[in-house]
Amino acid sequence: MNAQPLPLRDIHLPDGVSWWPPAPGWWLLLALLLGAAIALWYWRRRGSVRWSLYRQALQELERIENGFGQKDNERLVLENLSVLLRRVAVSRHPRTQVASLTGPRWLEFLDSVSGGTGFSGGPGRILADAPYNPALRTDNIPDLIDLCRRWLEAEFKRKPAAAPVKSKTA
């Protein structure tokens, strides 16, 4: 018998593992990371909008305070403080609950936000009468500005009130 060499080939290694397409676990991890990134972006954007409004309100209050020091125009200061507080309240609370408040009810609302009685029983009482009494004079404008500053701090530390859900009636 004649021994012929067998036609065998050398050892073949399998192809390397391809990086594409990834395994299902990697797809799940990618979806979780993408969801977390979107949630973080939304949460930071929402918070930054709130603090941006707070900074704008404080800048407006500073402008009012500086204007009072230069002009000593009490009536203009009172009007501007009233408008500032009302704008912030309407932007942060349901319009139907806040926009129609006047007089003592407005002052009670302001006190409910700040947790004190500075508006209904302190220097803030003047805000109820200022728009209707052109001859109104006060000596405690700096105290009123400080009270408004504390109110803004209290307002922006709390979560904004949710708007009421409108029911559909057929």
Side-chain angles (χ1 to χ4, degrees):
M1 292 212 177
N2 202 356
Q4 287 186 346
L6 296 173
L8 299 177
R9 292 193 252 169
D10 199 10
I11 297 175
H12 290 278
L13 296 176
D15 292 336
V17 178
S18 172
W19 64 274
W20 193 261
W26 289 111
W27 285 109
L28 181 62
L29 181 64
L30 177 67
L32 287 174
L33 288 175
L34 187 61
I38 289 171
L40 179 67
W41 173 80
Y42 177 74
W43 177 74
R44 288 190 47 105
R45 182 175 181 269
R46 215 174 127 204
S48 68
V49 167
R50 179 170 66 172
W51 291 113
S52 171
L53 292 174
Y54 175 59
R55 285 190 302 273
Q56 288 176 3
L58 284 181
Q59 287 173 354
E60 179 71 15
L61 186 64
E62 288 293 322
R63 187 190 64 75
I64 293 169
E65 187 175 19
N66 292 339
F68 172 68
Q70 294 169 359
K71 298 178 188 174
D72 269 349
N73 187 350
E74 294 176 357
R75 177 134 177 90
L76 184 62
V77 169
L78 293 174
E79 286 175 9
N80 288 336
L81 286 175
S82 184
V83 167
L84 173 64
L85 294 180
R86 179 127 354 227
R87 280 182 22 217
V88 169
V90 167
S91 71
R92 305 237 333 136
H93 295 275
R95 181 177 293 269
T96 56
Q97 294 175 2
V98 177
S100 63
L101 296 177
T102 58
R105 288 182 37 217
W106 171 242
L107 298 179
E108 288 171 9
F109 167 77
L110 294 174
D111 282 338
S112 72
V113 170
S114 62
T117 59
F119 287 100
S120 59
R125 285 182 313 219
I126 198 164
L127 291 178
D129 299 329
Y132 312 108
N133 189 353
L136 191 62
R137 303 279 306 163
T138 183
D139 295 331
N140 55 0
I141 293 287
D143 294 338
L144 179 61
I145 290 174
D146 288 339
L147 180 64
C148 291
R149 184 174 285 113
R150 287 193 308 268
W151 185 85
L152 287 171
E153 289 171 3
E155 174 62 36
F156 282 97
K157 282 183 183 175
R158 54 187 260 157
K159 284 189 168 187
V165 177
K166 294 180 182 178
S167 61
K168 294 182 180 179
T169 56

